[in-house]
Tab-separated table of all heavy atoms in Angstrom:
chain	number	residue	atom	x	y	z
A	249	THR	N	-140.900	-28.418	-136.726
A	249	THR	CA	-140.254	-28.329	-135.446
A	249	THR	C	-140.909	-29.275	-134.489
A	249	THR	O	-142.187	-29.340	-134.475
A	249	THR	CB	-140.199	-26.937	-134.861
A	249	THR	OG1	-141.633	-26.540	-134.744
A	249	THR	CG2	-139.403	-26.048	-135.645
A	250	TYR	N	-140.226	-29.681	-133.402
A	250	TYR	CA	-140.818	-30.120	-132.264
A	250	TYR	C	-141.068	-28.869	-131.444
A	250	TYR	O	-140.343	-27.864	-131.572
A	250	TYR	CB	-139.737	-31.076	-131.426
A	250	TYR	CG	-140.503	-31.682	-130.261
A	250	TYR	CD1	-141.166	-32.791	-130.337
A	250	TYR	CD2	-140.140	-31.172	-128.883
A	250	TYR	CE1	-141.828	-33.359	-129.226
A	250	TYR	CE2	-140.803	-31.763	-127.810
A	250	TYR	CZ	-141.586	-32.856	-128.052
A	250	TYR	OH	-142.153	-33.472	-126.900
A	251	PRO	N	-142.147	-28.856	-130.603
A	251	PRO	CA	-142.512	-27.559	-130.102
A	251	PRO	C	-141.278	-26.934	-129.115
A	251	PRO	O	-140.508	-27.748	-128.668
A	251	PRO	CB	-143.724	-27.936	-129.102
A	251	PRO	CG	-144.338	-29.012	-129.694
A	251	PRO	CD	-143.119	-29.897	-130.432
A	252	LYS	N	-141.213	-25.653	-129.061
A	252	LYS	CA	-140.283	-24.971	-128.347
A	252	LYS	C	-138.880	-25.059	-128.833
A	252	LYS	O	-137.856	-24.787	-127.938
A	252	LYS	CB	-140.507	-25.303	-126.803
A	252	LYS	CG	-141.813	-25.473	-126.254
A	252	LYS	CD	-142.703	-24.309	-126.749
A	252	LYS	CE	-142.536	-22.994	-126.309
A	252	LYS	NZ	-143.586	-22.089	-126.903
A	253	SER	N	-138.754	-25.153	-130.055
A	253	SER	CA	-137.340	-25.354	-130.614
A	253	SER	C	-136.865	-24.258	-131.524
A	253	SER	O	-135.733	-24.287	-132.105
A	253	SER	CB	-137.386	-26.699	-131.505
A	253	SER	OG	-137.778	-27.716	-130.610
A	254	GLY	N	-137.706	-23.198	-131.674
A	254	GLY	CA	-137.276	-22.084	-132.371
A	254	GLY	C	-138.138	-21.788	-133.553
A	254	GLY	O	-137.713	-21.087	-134.639
A	255	THR	N	-139.386	-22.333	-133.735
A	255	THR	CA	-140.301	-22.170	-134.661
A	255	THR	C	-140.544	-20.763	-135.022
A	255	THR	O	-140.479	-20.406	-136.171
A	255	THR	CB	-141.620	-22.770	-134.237
A	255	THR	OG1	-141.406	-23.854	-133.365
A	255	THR	CG2	-142.442	-23.254	-135.604
A	256	THR	N	-140.929	-19.993	-133.994
A	256	THR	CA	-141.367	-18.560	-134.171
A	256	THR	C	-140.153	-17.770	-134.711
A	256	THR	O	-140.362	-16.835	-135.637
A	256	THR	CB	-141.800	-17.952	-132.825
A	256	THR	OG1	-142.688	-18.943	-132.352
A	256	THR	CG2	-142.603	-16.695	-133.108
A	257	TRP	N	-138.966	-18.054	-134.229
A	257	TRP	CA	-137.715	-17.197	-134.580
A	257	TRP	C	-137.470	-17.571	-136.182
A	257	TRP	O	-137.378	-16.694	-136.795
A	257	TRP	CB	-136.626	-17.888	-133.708
A	257	TRP	CG	-135.293	-17.102	-133.736
A	257	TRP	CD1	-135.140	-15.927	-134.493
A	257	TRP	CD2	-134.133	-17.494	-133.130
A	257	TRP	NE1	-133.762	-15.557	-134.301
A	257	TRP	CE2	-133.218	-16.419	-133.455
A	257	TRP	CE3	-133.731	-18.530	-132.382
A	257	TRP	CZ2	-131.763	-16.521	-133.019
A	257	TRP	CZ3	-132.390	-18.574	-131.924
A	257	TRP	CH2	-131.496	-17.482	-132.234
A	258	VAL	N	-137.445	-18.836	-136.464
A	258	VAL	CA	-137.160	-19.145	-137.907
A	258	VAL	C	-138.281	-18.620	-138.794
A	258	VAL	O	-138.074	-18.233	-139.963
A	258	VAL	CB	-136.777	-20.578	-138.183
A	258	VAL	CG1	-137.847	-21.451	-138.348
A	258	VAL	CG2	-135.772	-20.721	-139.250
A	285	PHE	N	-150.319	-22.284	-138.856
A	285	PHE	CA	-149.995	-23.574	-138.049
A	285	PHE	C	-150.839	-24.675	-138.605
A	285	PHE	O	-152.151	-24.848	-138.314
A	285	PHE	CB	-150.152	-23.347	-136.605
A	285	PHE	CG	-149.844	-24.422	-135.620
A	285	PHE	CD1	-149.061	-25.523	-136.052
A	285	PHE	CD2	-150.185	-24.265	-134.339
A	285	PHE	CE1	-148.704	-26.512	-135.091
A	285	PHE	CE2	-149.877	-25.295	-133.449
A	285	PHE	CZ	-149.190	-26.414	-133.866
A	310	LYS	N	-146.305	-23.628	-140.916
A	310	LYS	CA	-145.728	-24.256	-139.593
A	310	LYS	C	-146.328	-25.583	-139.293
A	310	LYS	O	-147.513	-25.669	-139.415
A	310	LYS	CB	-146.021	-23.264	-138.437
A	310	LYS	CG	-145.823	-23.892	-137.088
A	310	LYS	CD	-146.177	-22.868	-135.977
A	310	LYS	CE	-146.333	-23.542	-134.657
A	310	LYS	NZ	-146.480	-22.615	-133.487
A	312	HIS	N	-145.899	-28.970	-136.209
A	312	HIS	CA	-145.121	-29.726	-135.220
A	312	HIS	C	-145.367	-31.172	-135.520
A	312	HIS	O	-144.919	-32.077	-134.504
A	312	HIS	CB	-145.680	-29.348	-133.855
A	312	HIS	CG	-145.320	-28.083	-133.316
A	312	HIS	ND1	-144.163	-27.447	-133.564
A	312	HIS	CD2	-146.114	-27.183	-132.614
A	312	HIS	CE1	-144.065	-26.263	-132.953
A	312	HIS	NE2	-145.269	-26.062	-132.347
A	334	ARG	N	-133.821	-28.397	-131.099
A	334	ARG	CA	-133.165	-27.803	-129.970
A	334	ARG	C	-132.919	-28.933	-128.981
A	334	ARG	O	-133.611	-29.890	-129.031
A	334	ARG	CB	-134.167	-26.760	-129.487
A	334	ARG	CG	-133.554	-25.995	-128.327
A	334	ARG	CD	-134.599	-24.980	-127.674
A	334	ARG	NE	-134.070	-24.196	-126.747
A	334	ARG	CZ	-134.934	-23.142	-126.108
A	334	ARG	NH1	-136.124	-23.186	-126.252
A	334	ARG	NH2	-134.384	-22.419	-125.286
A	338	ASP	N	-133.381	-28.210	-122.724
A	338	ASP	CA	-133.851	-26.895	-122.828
A	338	ASP	C	-135.252	-26.947	-123.379
A	338	ASP	O	-136.183	-26.114	-122.945
A	338	ASP	CB	-133.066	-26.042	-123.661
A	338	ASP	CG	-131.741	-25.524	-122.863
A	338	ASP	OD1	-131.920	-25.419	-121.633
A	338	ASP	OD2	-130.716	-25.349	-123.521
A	339	VAL	N	-135.617	-27.892	-124.270
A	339	VAL	CA	-136.929	-28.071	-124.697
A	339	VAL	C	-137.888	-28.476	-123.601
A	339	VAL	O	-138.994	-27.919	-123.472
A	339	VAL	CB	-137.007	-29.080	-125.892
A	339	VAL	CG1	-138.402	-29.485	-126.291
A	339	VAL	CG2	-136.349	-28.536	-127.250
A	341	VAL	N	-137.698	-28.005	-120.551
A	341	VAL	CA	-138.064	-26.765	-119.619
A	341	VAL	C	-139.047	-25.689	-120.290
A	341	VAL	O	-139.920	-25.352	-119.711
A	341	VAL	CB	-136.696	-26.001	-119.110
A	341	VAL	CG1	-136.888	-24.858	-118.335
A	341	VAL	CG2	-135.823	-27.122	-118.344
A	342	SER	N	-138.623	-25.429	-121.496
A	342	SER	CA	-139.389	-24.422	-122.180
A	342	SER	C	-140.851	-25.003	-122.341
A	342	SER	O	-141.761	-24.226	-122.175
A	342	SER	CB	-138.663	-24.245	-123.632
A	342	SER	OG	-139.585	-23.233	-124.295
A	343	TYR	N	-140.972	-26.247	-122.595
A	343	TYR	CA	-142.210	-26.893	-122.977
A	343	TYR	C	-143.094	-26.957	-121.662
A	343	TYR	O	-144.253	-26.715	-121.694
A	343	TYR	CB	-142.108	-28.278	-123.528
A	343	TYR	CG	-143.257	-28.800	-124.476
A	343	TYR	CD1	-142.985	-29.917	-125.085
A	343	TYR	CD2	-144.323	-27.978	-124.695
A	343	TYR	CE1	-144.030	-30.489	-125.921
A	343	TYR	CE2	-145.323	-28.497	-125.650
A	343	TYR	CZ	-145.083	-29.707	-126.357
A	343	TYR	OH	-146.071	-30.131	-127.118
A	345	HIS	N	-142.898	-24.720	-119.214
A	345	HIS	CA	-143.504	-23.442	-118.994
A	345	HIS	C	-144.552	-23.070	-119.894
A	345	HIS	O	-145.645	-22.345	-119.584
A	345	HIS	CB	-142.350	-22.298	-118.960
A	345	HIS	CG	-141.546	-22.583	-117.679
A	345	HIS	ND1	-141.906	-22.380	-116.394
A	345	HIS	CD2	-140.138	-22.953	-117.564
A	345	HIS	CE1	-140.928	-22.567	-115.581
A	345	HIS	NE2	-139.953	-22.950	-116.210
A	346	PHE	N	-144.446	-23.620	-121.152
A	346	PHE	CA	-145.475	-23.341	-122.174
A	346	PHE	C	-146.732	-24.054	-121.766
A	346	PHE	O	-147.935	-23.629	-121.942
A	346	PHE	CB	-144.888	-23.859	-123.509
A	346	PHE	CG	-145.741	-23.418	-124.685
A	346	PHE	CD1	-146.195	-22.042	-124.937
A	346	PHE	CD2	-146.324	-24.431	-125.544
A	346	PHE	CE1	-146.880	-21.734	-125.894
A	346	PHE	CE2	-147.123	-23.972	-126.675
A	346	PHE	CZ	-147.410	-22.750	-126.818
A	353	HIS	N	-153.300	-26.998	-123.580
A	353	HIS	CA	-152.638	-28.267	-123.135
A	353	HIS	C	-153.370	-28.786	-121.867
A	353	HIS	O	-153.888	-28.044	-121.195
A	353	HIS	CB	-151.154	-28.044	-122.925
A	353	HIS	CG	-150.273	-27.426	-124.096
A	353	HIS	ND1	-150.137	-26.165	-124.375
A	353	HIS	CD2	-149.730	-28.208	-125.075
A	353	HIS	CE1	-149.431	-25.969	-125.340
A	353	HIS	NE2	-149.150	-27.115	-125.931
A	397	TYR	N	-131.034	-24.868	-132.978
A	397	TYR	CA	-131.311	-23.719	-132.308
A	397	TYR	C	-130.006	-23.248	-131.706
A	397	TYR	O	-129.739	-21.940	-131.629
A	397	TYR	CB	-132.391	-24.000	-131.124
A	397	TYR	CG	-132.717	-22.916	-130.140
A	397	TYR	CD1	-133.849	-22.012	-130.531
A	397	TYR	CD2	-132.207	-22.758	-128.990
A	397	TYR	CE1	-134.134	-20.977	-129.604
A	397	TYR	CE2	-132.382	-21.573	-128.100
A	397	TYR	CZ	-133.496	-20.766	-128.412
A	397	TYR	OH	-133.810	-19.811	-127.542
A	400	MET	N	-128.156	-21.175	-134.061
A	400	MET	CA	-128.725	-19.906	-134.407
A	400	MET	C	-128.344	-19.021	-133.266
A	400	MET	O	-128.047	-17.869	-133.573
A	400	MET	CB	-130.254	-20.168	-134.497
A	400	MET	CG	-130.732	-20.867	-135.742
A	400	MET	SD	-132.500	-21.161	-135.640
A	400	MET	CE	-133.242	-19.571	-135.866
A	401	LEU	N	-128.199	-19.455	-132.050
A	401	LEU	CA	-127.723	-18.585	-131.011
A	401	LEU	C	-126.460	-18.246	-131.139
A	401	LEU	O	-125.959	-16.992	-130.850
A	401	LEU	CB	-127.937	-19.280	-129.633
A	401	LEU	CG	-129.394	-19.191	-128.922
A	401	LEU	CD1	-129.273	-20.059	-127.624
A	401	LEU	CD2	-129.965	-17.909	-128.756
A	430	ASN	N	-133.774	-7.409	-136.261
A	430	ASN	CA	-135.241	-7.493	-136.101
A	430	ASN	C	-135.790	-8.903	-135.565
A	430	ASN	O	-136.762	-8.933	-135.235
A	430	ASN	CB	-135.978	-7.171	-137.476
A	430	ASN	CG	-135.869	-5.641	-137.637
A	430	ASN	OD1	-136.283	-4.916	-136.758
A	430	ASN	ND2	-135.609	-5.197	-138.681
A	431	THR	N	-134.811	-9.777	-135.512
A	431	THR	CA	-135.174	-11.094	-135.063
A	431	THR	C	-134.302	-11.540	-133.915
A	431	THR	O	-134.297	-12.739	-133.432
A	431	THR	CB	-135.018	-12.225	-136.132
A	431	THR	OG1	-133.606	-12.269	-136.621
A	431	THR	CG2	-135.950	-12.035	-137.357
A	432	SER	N	-133.698	-10.591	-133.127
A	432	SER	CA	-133.007	-10.898	-131.974
A	432	SER	C	-134.055	-11.246	-130.901
A	432	SER	O	-135.261	-10.769	-131.142
A	432	SER	CB	-132.329	-9.654	-131.467
A	432	SER	OG	-133.149	-8.704	-131.010
A	433	PHE	N	-133.813	-11.929	-129.832
A	433	PHE	CA	-134.739	-12.287	-128.850
A	433	PHE	C	-135.566	-11.016	-128.401
A	433	PHE	O	-136.669	-11.019	-128.298
A	433	PHE	CB	-134.049	-13.086	-127.655
A	433	PHE	CG	-135.022	-13.433	-126.507
A	433	PHE	CD1	-135.978	-14.362	-126.685
A	433	PHE	CD2	-134.939	-12.619	-125.352
A	433	PHE	CE1	-136.779	-14.652	-125.703
A	433	PHE	CE2	-135.719	-12.947	-124.312
A	433	PHE	CZ	-136.749	-13.970	-124.577
A	434	GLN	N	-134.615	-10.067	-127.950
A	434	GLN	CA	-135.392	-8.814	-127.480
A	434	GLN	C	-136.283	-8.108	-128.406
A	434	GLN	O	-137.434	-7.652	-127.988
A	434	GLN	CB	-134.299	-7.827	-126.881
A	434	GLN	CG	-134.770	-6.822	-125.837
A	434	GLN	CD	-135.516	-7.536	-124.646
A	434	GLN	OE1	-134.961	-8.445	-124.027
A	434	GLN	NE2	-136.681	-7.002	-124.394
A	435	ALA	N	-135.828	-7.970	-129.546
A	435	ALA	CA	-136.731	-7.326	-130.734
A	435	ALA	C	-137.989	-8.113	-130.719
A	435	ALA	O	-139.061	-7.587	-130.825
A	435	ALA	CB	-135.983	-7.265	-131.962
A	436	MET	N	-137.902	-9.488	-130.820
A	436	MET	CA	-139.124	-10.232	-130.948
A	436	MET	C	-140.154	-10.317	-129.841
A	436	MET	O	-141.195	-10.319	-129.842
A	436	MET	CB	-138.747	-11.725	-131.557
A	436	MET	CG	-138.359	-11.712	-132.878
A	436	MET	SD	-138.055	-13.445	-133.522
A	436	MET	CE	-139.468	-14.208	-133.319
A	437	LYS	N	-139.292	-10.118	-128.665
A	437	LYS	CA	-140.073	-10.155	-127.349
A	437	LYS	C	-140.908	-8.908	-127.250
A	437	LYS	O	-142.061	-8.860	-126.794
A	437	LYS	CB	-139.108	-10.221	-126.125
A	437	LYS	CG	-139.825	-10.482	-124.812
A	437	LYS	CD	-138.756	-10.522	-123.653
A	437	LYS	CE	-139.330	-10.565	-122.267
A	437	LYS	NZ	-140.175	-11.775	-121.939
A	442	ALA	N	-144.722	-10.723	-133.060
A	442	ALA	CA	-144.005	-11.826	-132.999
A	442	ALA	C	-144.160	-12.500	-131.617
A	442	ALA	O	-143.711	-13.676	-131.439
A	442	ALA	CB	-142.520	-11.528	-133.291
A	444	TYR	N	-146.727	-13.307	-129.660
A	444	TYR	CA	-147.984	-14.076	-129.412
A	444	TYR	C	-148.892	-13.358	-128.299
A	444	TYR	O	-149.820	-13.970	-127.864
A	444	TYR	CB	-147.700	-15.502	-128.855
A	444	TYR	CG	-147.564	-16.394	-129.970
A	444	TYR	CD1	-146.292	-16.641	-130.684
A	444	TYR	CD2	-148.586	-17.249	-130.458
A	444	TYR	CE1	-146.171	-17.573	-131.664
A	444	TYR	CE2	-148.491	-18.201	-131.445
A	444	TYR	CZ	-147.181	-18.326	-132.123
A	444	TYR	OH	-147.056	-19.204	-133.119
A	450	MET	N	-153.567	-18.149	-124.157
A	450	MET	CA	-152.300	-18.045	-123.479
A	450	MET	C	-152.414	-17.084	-122.350
A	450	MET	O	-153.084	-15.979	-122.489
A	450	MET	CB	-151.212	-17.618	-124.579
A	450	MET	CG	-150.762	-18.693	-125.520
A	450	MET	SD	-149.450	-18.116	-126.516
A	450	MET	CE	-149.390	-19.337	-127.707
A	455	SER	N	-146.285	-17.240	-117.588
A	455	SER	CA	-144.986	-17.410	-118.160
A	455	SER	C	-145.043	-16.773	-119.621
A	455	SER	O	-145.849	-17.300	-120.383
A	455	SER	CB	-144.523	-18.925	-118.325
A	455	SER	OG	-143.246	-19.022	-118.860
A	456	PRO	N	-144.111	-15.841	-119.933
A	456	PRO	CA	-144.202	-15.186	-121.264
A	456	PRO	C	-143.846	-16.221	-122.403
A	456	PRO	O	-142.983	-17.075	-122.161
A	456	PRO	CB	-143.357	-14.013	-121.232
A	456	PRO	CG	-142.373	-14.350	-120.051
A	456	PRO	CD	-142.979	-15.275	-119.231
A	457	PHE	N	-144.378	-16.080	-123.584
A	457	PHE	CA	-144.093	-16.858	-124.753
A	457	PHE	C	-142.608	-16.674	-124.977
A	457	PHE	O	-141.945	-17.646	-125.133
A	457	PHE	CB	-145.033	-16.485	-125.935
A	457	PHE	CG	-144.725	-17.356	-127.142
A	457	PHE	CD1	-145.477	-18.593	-127.187
A	457	PHE	CD2	-143.731	-17.066	-128.033
A	457	PHE	CE1	-145.163	-19.351	-128.369
A	457	PHE	CE2	-143.429	-18.003	-129.146
A	457	PHE	CZ	-144.140	-19.145	-129.239
A	458	MET	N	-142.233	-15.488	-125.042
A	458	MET	CA	-140.763	-15.164	-125.232
A	458	MET	C	-140.233	-15.167	-123.895
A	458	MET	O	-140.206	-14.152	-123.107
A	458	MET	CB	-140.546	-13.787	-125.946
A	458	MET	CG	-141.099	-13.721	-127.272
A	458	MET	SD	-140.039	-14.634	-128.391
A	458	MET	CE	-141.123	-14.685	-129.902
A	459	ARG	N	-139.715	-16.312	-123.338
A	459	ARG	CA	-139.460	-16.479	-122.035
A	459	ARG	C	-137.866	-15.995	-121.710
A	459	ARG	O	-137.708	-15.126	-120.953
A	459	ARG	CB	-139.610	-17.963	-121.745
A	459	ARG	CG	-139.827	-18.244	-120.167
A	459	ARG	CD	-140.122	-19.869	-119.956
A	459	ARG	NE	-139.083	-20.579	-120.639
A	459	ARG	CZ	-137.951	-20.955	-120.047
A	459	ARG	NH1	-137.770	-20.697	-118.773
A	459	ARG	NH2	-137.072	-21.690	-120.591
A	460	LYS	N	-136.988	-16.850	-122.163
A	460	LYS	CA	-135.568	-16.535	-121.760
A	460	LYS	C	-134.678	-16.405	-123.173
A	460	LYS	O	-133.842	-15.679	-123.310
A	460	LYS	CB	-135.010	-17.516	-120.923
A	460	LYS	CG	-135.484	-17.389	-119.549
A	460	LYS	CD	-134.702	-18.126	-118.507
A	460	LYS	CE	-134.990	-17.947	-117.068
A	460	LYS	NZ	-134.393	-18.691	-116.160
A	461	GLY	N	-135.040	-17.423	-124.033
A	461	GLY	CA	-134.303	-17.451	-125.406
A	461	GLY	C	-132.790	-17.679	-125.213
A	461	GLY	O	-131.978	-17.149	-125.897
A	462	ILE	N	-132.520	-18.779	-124.284
A	462	ILE	CA	-131.058	-18.955	-124.118
A	462	ILE	C	-130.811	-20.562	-124.116
A	462	ILE	O	-131.728	-21.159	-124.131
A	462	ILE	CB	-130.472	-18.484	-122.702
A	462	ILE	CG1	-131.362	-19.011	-121.508
A	462	ILE	CG2	-130.469	-16.937	-122.752
A	462	ILE	CD1	-130.784	-18.765	-120.207
A	465	ASP	N	-130.633	-23.255	-119.993
A	465	ASP	CA	-131.634	-22.915	-118.862
A	465	ASP	C	-132.044	-24.029	-118.095
A	465	ASP	O	-132.386	-23.948	-116.955
A	465	ASP	CB	-132.913	-22.142	-119.452
A	465	ASP	CG	-133.644	-21.590	-118.314
A	465	ASP	OD1	-133.071	-21.108	-117.326
A	465	ASP	OD2	-134.936	-21.697	-118.374
B	978	LIG	S1	-143.783	-22.997	-130.424
B	978	LIG	O1	-144.808	-22.637	-129.460
B	978	LIG	O2	-143.481	-24.414	-130.328
B	978	LIG	O3	-143.964	-22.478	-131.738
B	978	LIG	O4	-142.441	-22.377	-129.805
B	978	LIG	P1	-141.230	-21.966	-130.478
B	978	LIG	O5	-141.282	-20.698	-131.275
B	978	LIG	O6	-140.744	-23.134	-131.352
B	978	LIG	O7	-140.063	-21.795	-129.339
B	978	LIG	C1	-140.264	-20.875	-128.297
B	978	LIG	C2	-138.937	-20.850	-127.738
B	978	LIG	O8	-137.982	-20.187	-128.509
B	978	LIG	C3	-137.488	-18.927	-127.958
B	978	LIG	N1	-137.347	-17.899	-128.855
B	978	LIG	C4	-136.072	-17.277	-129.223
B	978	LIG	N2	-134.930	-17.492	-128.774
B	978	LIG	C5	-133.824	-16.927	-129.217
B	978	LIG	N3	-134.049	-15.892	-130.133
B	978	LIG	C6	-135.227	-15.458	-130.647
B	978	LIG	N4	-135.327	-14.534	-131.500
B	978	LIG	C7	-136.395	-16.268	-130.202
B	978	LIG	N5	-137.685	-16.297	-130.354
B	978	LIG	C8	-138.256	-17.240	-129.640
B	978	LIG	C9	-138.518	-18.637	-126.909
B	978	LIG	O9	-138.118	-17.698	-125.942
B	978	LIG	C10	-138.820	-20.080	-126.366
B	978	LIG	O10	-137.733	-20.525	-125.637
B	978	LIG	P2	-137.710	-20.388	-123.986
B	978	LIG	O11	-136.528	-21.245	-123.680
B	978	LIG	O12	-138.941	-20.833	-123.377
B	978	LIG	O13	-137.234	-18.952	-123.772
Side-chain angles (χ1 to χ4, degrees):
T249 55
Y250 189 78
K252 313 324 287 177
S253 302
T255 330
T256 316
W257 191 6
V258 86
F285 183 12
K310 159 183 170 176
H312 287 322
R334 185 182 188 185
D338 284 331
V339 168
V341 174
S342 181
Y343 210 178
H345 291 294
F346 190 56
H353 299 93
Y397 178 88
M400 291 172 67
L401 280 179
N430 284 308
T431 57
S432 71
F433 176 74
Q434 199 55 49
M436 286 184 57
K437 189 178 173 71
Y444 275 85
M450 289 182 186
S455 176
F457 184 91
M458 295 288 169
R459 201 180 55 89
K460 290 195 180 174
I462 57 169
D465 188 39

